[in-house]
Structure formats: C-alpha cells, structure tokens
Amino acid sequence: MPSDRPRAVTINDVAALAGVSIATASKALNGRGQVRAETRDRVVAAARELSFQPNPLARSLVTGQTRTVGLLTSDSVGRFGIPVMLGAEDAFGSGETAVLLCDARGDAFREQHYLRTLLARRVDGLIVVGESTDPRPSISRDLSIPVVYAYAPSDDPEDVSFVPDDVAGSGEAVRHLIALGRRRIAHVTGPTHYTAARERAEGALGALKAAGLPLSGDRVVYGAWSQRWGRHAAEIVLNADPDVDAVFCGSDQIAAGLIEAARERGRRVPDDIAVVGYDNWEVLSEETRPPLTTMDMNLELLGRTAAQHLFAAIEGRATSGVHRMPCRLVIRDSAAPPTPR
C-alpha cells in the first residue's frame, strides 16, 4: 500500500530545478568550492522554493564538520556566565550551528566527564566559560579541536581568550568622577586574590595619578564582593577621610551596601558623595536608591565575539593570546552630572 507521506526533497531535486550538477549544488549550499555568485544564488533560490533541508549526517561526511559546538561552563551561579553564553548562542544560531551546553559547576572531575562527552559527539569546537576573570588551567593541549576561553582566560598564552578590560573600565569610571568635579575619591573593592579586584584597583589608581590626584584614605580598601562589606567599608572610608566626595566600588553589591551605610550617616548620594559601581547587575544597579552609575562589562558582546572567533578558529584562522574587550559606563543618578537649573 503506497504511503501518503510526501517524499523528502533531496539535493538531486535542488540541482535539477537549478539546472546544475549535484556536485555544484552541494558546493553552493555548503559554501565550499569555487561557484559563481549567480549560480550560487540560483541554487539557494531552488532550495528555498523546495523547502530543502540538508541532511546533517550527509553534510558532516562531506565537510568533516558536524555544525555542533560545545559550551562548557564552570559558573554554577550564572551571574556572569549566563550573559556570555547568551551572546555566544546568538552568534551560533545565526550561523546555523547547534550548541551543546554542559555545566561543570566548578568541579574538575565533572568538567573532564563533559569534555569526553562533547568529544564523543564530535563537536567542531569548544567555548569554555569561567566564573571569574582569574586564569584557569588550559584544556587545549591534548585536543584536536579549537578551544576559545571566555571571561576566564586560559593560563596558556598560546590559547585564545576573551576577557573584559577591567583596567580600562575602572579608569573610565574614575575619570567620570573627576569630570564631575570630585577630587577626594576612594576605592573599595573585593578580595586581593581576585584578578578583577587587582585590575580594577590598577585602573583606578592610574586614572587618579594621571589627573594628579591622591587616593582618598591613601589605600585601596580590599574586602569581599558583598553588600555587607560595602556597609562596613563605608565606615572605614568616612573615618579615614570625612571629606571624601566620591567612591568607586569594585562591584555593584559593594556599592549598594556603601550607599545604604552612607545614607544612614547622613551623607547624600550624589550630592555629598558620588558612587560608581561595577558589573551593571541590574537587579541591584536599577533598584538602589538612587539608581547606580556603573560599568557594564558587555558580557553578551564578549560571548558573541568569542563565538565568532571560534568560527574563525574552526577554519584555521585563530589569533592566540588574551583579547581584552571594552567595558561601557552606564550613567544613573548616583554619579550623574548636576541637573541644570
């Protein structure tokens, strides 16, 4: 009994409608080989008219690629990793590439298990997303596929890594405060063992030095990435320099806590003290009173750029080293220019 199910369209049908050979149709649709532009357009139009869907297995046999990539993350919280992954997925989606996501949750054994799983699936490449900007161990040395590291750089300079430029970003934050007329600027940040804390302090101190200004309190106030620390740090900053008129905080959590404590001590933000945070974590930055001026690390753009670079690496056009991506100042009320009267 004949089946009522319609016959699947094949590359033979596309080639016949376009008036070309099967080999030419295949080259045109896969973007490989020398095919004249008008011929490629004719083949693509024929494929669209017939609603042709290439067979993934057949295409992988021809191209040697599966059009799948692995995305391996260690960010169990997801606060920084998720925006990076969203940006990467956007780029992969536009390139008709499927993404296999694995969350190692910061566990080295789990990471190795997922790595073996992804290799068994014959992914064309891999993006590794970290939970901080601290360098992480390279996994590239024994792999036959390209690997790109995002947010957390590889400890191997021969690998390809994309990270936010925290030195430049913190410098921009402090220059913004200086442009507002602030001259007694303090810096409160997270633990010294974090690369992000050290680099943000480096950028802040560099901007102050370039402007010929001292650091209020004479030292960077290191602590924790928390609101509780921000509240405690406010006491330290105000006791060290009662005339402090601005604070650059190494995270939005610290800034939110500092603003709360400063208000309890009768200091108005931004009238008495301007405050700038870092991360643009909107759950905090848009809900503090007043809303927080902060540096946005452009993590979706970072993820998208890492994915685009993985495409290039798959084609043999990788550029090794650590690539630093620009951050963006988001101005809100906590450190905004005065409103003209």
Side-chain angles (χ1 to χ4, degrees), residues 114-146:
Y114 282 135
L115 184 57
R116 289 191 296 269
T117 301
L118 290 169
L119 292 174
R121 295 291 186 94
R122 297 182 61 242
V123 294
D124 298 326
L126 185 64
I127 288 185
V128 178
V129 182
E131 60 182 338
S132 76
T133 56
D134 294 340
R136 56 146 295 144
S138 173
I139 61 172
S140 311
R141 297 180 184 92
D142 300 320
L143 299 184
S144 58
I145 59 172

Side-chain angles (χ1 to χ4, degrees), residues 218-240:
D218 297 324
R219 69 182 181 94
V220 175
V221 185
Y222 290 100
W225 304 115
S226 69
Q227 285 177 256
R228 175 181 293 182
W229 166 240
R231 289 191 293 269
H232 181 59
E235 301 293 328
I236 297 173
V237 167
L238 291 170
N239 288 336

Side-chain angles (χ1 to χ4, degrees), residues 278-328:
Y278 211 101
D279 298 335
N280 195 26
W281 192 24
E282 292 177 351
V283 137
L284 279 176
S285 59
E286 293 184 347
E287 300 302 325
T288 56
R289 292 185 300 132
L292 184 63
T293 294
T294 182
M295 293 304 302
D296 190 314
M297 292 183 285
N298 286 328
L299 294 180
E300 285 199 32
L301 175 61
L302 188 150
R304 194 176 306 120
T305 305
Q308 291 165 347
H309 202 92
L310 182 60
F311 284 136
I314 290 170
E315 296 174 359
R317 297 183 286 109
T319 305
S320 62
V322 177
H323 303 266
R324 301 189 180 277
M325 301 291 294
C327 301
R328 175 175 59 94

